[in-house]
Amino acid sequence: MLNPTLITVIMAATVIGALAGALGTFLVLRGQSLLGEVISHAALPGVVGGFLASGGRDMSAILGGALISGALAGLVVQVLRRGAGVKADAALGTVLSLFFAAGVVLLSIAQLQPGAAGLTVFLFGQAASVLRADLLPMVLVALGVVSVLTLFWKEFQLITFDREAAEVQGLPVVALETLLTVLIAITIVLGLALAGVVLMVAMLIAPAVAARQWVRSLGAMVALAGLFGVISGASGALLSAMGDGVATGPVMVLMAMAVTSLSLLLAPERGVLARWRRQMGARRALRGRQVLAALDGLSRDHRDPEYTSDEAMLDAYLGTNAGPVLSRLQKGGFIRAAAPVAPEIQGRRWELTGAGLERLHGRDSGDGAQGGDRGDDA
């Protein structure tokens, strides 16, 4: 039976996973995955600053400082990109380095204070740091984020896929991007206690990347990414609780990466296996058309519609064993085996059927690809 502490951790991980997956979708689709990395690492100086300002581990001060620091980093990136004309990668790298370096310096100063050892929890996350009293505020904040996301859904969708069109329509694009950045910062801050500043970005990106392999629409991707985040967070929290002293964040990230890896491998359209099957099917279809073209060309060269070609000649034409291709074409009714012209001739001989001629010449437009697949699978 699960103990109350573990139930609390799983519930918190579920909330964080769902929220991170949903917000991470916009980062992935906008090509701003590194922005999540910047905000996550930039939360460190805010965490330490909140600790120093409050004189202890006041969670409201620490998380408030993390939110201010993370949101500020995201806004600085936007200012550098839009205002100063700095390239995106340079702006992201500069801000990440600046804020994280400041956080490390502050952390070294804070180590001299009593109780500062607990700040390392925010680097990699720790299940024991989440209390039952934290659940209600966490859920309320998450609901607030989801409400804002729902309220500005159409606007966020437009700036994600066509920023220029949003500007033409007169939407406050900069304000909307700022709002979206703040929502992402809030999500990161909520997950600091579980995943930490170093690994929280993975909870934003990995579920969204996994969901992208399965669906096409934004709404479905947000929902599926949220589900994958729930699975990753809850299972990671459960597995980390089974080990003595195992940090929660890394295990959650490992579970998220497992979900992503399976999606990249098994997704029906974009997965590696699906792509490999399509490539192999296209290759087999091409070989089938080559054989049909060779048979048709030989019959034309000999001015004999019923001319039969021996298999050795087709092997030489393809540069490999034509037997498997011939078997598929025969099974599909595109070619047929013919009797040898003389008993002393060894090997099978082949000729085109009417269906083979139609396949080769009658379907080059319109449904040519479909005909190729049918001929290959036959």
Side-chain angles (χ1 to χ4, degrees):
M1 185 175 180
L2 299 180
N3 61 65
T5 301
L6 181 56
I7 294 176
T8 300
V9 173
I10 292 177
M11 292 176 65
T14 298
V15 173
I16 297 303
L19 198 59
L23 268 297
T25 297
F26 293 92
L27 288 177
V28 170
L29 292 178
R30 299 179 70 198
Q32 295 182 340
S33 299
L34 276 179
L35 180 60
E37 182 84 7
V38 171
I39 296 175
S40 180
H41 281 72
L44 181 59
V47 168
V48 183
F51 171 80
L52 293 175
S54 63
R57 289 190 57 188
D58 184 345
M59 290 301 294
S60 59
I62 289 176
L63 295 182
L67 177 59
I68 294 174
S69 180
L72 179 61
L75 296 178
V76 170
V77 170
Q78 288 193 30
V79 170
L80 290 177
R81 291 184 58 194
R82 309 295 182 191
V86 179
K87 290 186 177 181
D89 56 345
L92 291 167
T94 300
V95 174
L96 186 151
S97 302
L98 173 63
F99 276 77
F100 194 66
V104 172
V105 171
L106 289 176
L107 186 60
S108 63
I109 296 174
Q111 294 297 327
L112 303 176
Q113 304 292 326
L119 290 177
T120 56
V121 167
F122 294 97
L123 290 177
F124 302 105
Q126 182 55 259
S129 64
V130 180
L131 305 177
R132 181 173 292 272
D134 299 329
L135 282 180
L136 181 58
M138 184 180 295
V139 171
L140 291 177
V141 172
L143 289 176
V145 172
V146 172
S147 299
V148 174
L149 184 62
T150 304
L151 182 62
F152 294 95
W153 175 261
K154 292 183 179 180
E155 290 79 3
F156 287 154
Q157 185 176 17
L158 188 57
I159 65 172
T160 296
F161 292 107
D162 198 339
R163 188 178 189 275
E164 290 73 17
E167 291 177 338
V168 170
Q169 292 184 18
L171 293 178
V173 175
V174 174
L176 289 170
E177 289 180 338
T178 300
L179 178 59
L180 189 57
T181 300
V182 171
L183 295 180
I184 293 170
I186 292 173
T187 302
I188 290 174
V189 169
L190 286 180
L192 287 181
L194 280 175
V197 299
V198 176
L199 297 173
M200 183 58 199
V201 65
M203 293 302 298
L204 286 165
I205 304 305
V209 171
R212 185 71 180 93
Q213 310 308 310
W214 297 91
V215 296
R216 293 182 178 274
S217 66
L218 177 61
M221 184 176 172
V222 168
L224 188 58
L227 176 61
F228 285 157
V230 168
I231 294 173
S232 304
S235 59
L238 180 61
L239 291 175
S240 66
M242 295 179 179
D244 186 15
V246 178
T248 309
V251 182
M252 290 171 59
V253 170
L254 288 176
M255 295 306 298
M257 293 308 300
V259 172
T260 303
S261 298
L262 289 175
S263 298
L264 290 171
L265 183 65
L266 301 176
E269 293 187 11
R270 296 188 177 93
V272 173
L273 291 180
R275 292 174 183 267
W276 177 79
R277 285 196 299 268
R278 287 197 297 270
Q279 290 174 355
M280 294 300 295
R283 191 173 302 172
R284 288 195 299 265
L286 177 60
R287 289 188 176 276
R289 292 188 66 86
Q290 288 175 333
V291 169
L292 294 178
L295 291 173
D296 184 56
L298 289 170
S299 67
R300 289 175 181 271
D301 291 341
H302 289 80
R303 299 181 179 179
D304 182 3
E306 297 182 356
Y307 179 81
T308 59
S309 303
D310 63 85
E311 192 165 323
M313 184 183 299
L314 295 172
D315 289 343
Y317 175 79
L318 290 178
T320 185
N321 181 19
V325 181
L326 294 169
S327 297
R328 288 196 298 270
L329 292 174
Q330 182 187 28
K331 185 178 179 181
F334 299 106
I335 63 174
R336 58 174 169 261
V341 295
E344 64 273 10
I345 296 179
Q346 302 296 320
R348 293 183 296 178
R349 299 184 68 87
W350 300 91
E351 62 181 343
L352 282 171
T353 63
L357 285 171
E358 183 184 358
R359 162 70 180 87
L360 185 61
H361 299 295
R363 298 184 179 182
D364 288 340
S365 60
D367 61 344
Q370 181 180 357
D373 293 340
R374 189 170 69 89
D376 169 59
D377 294 336

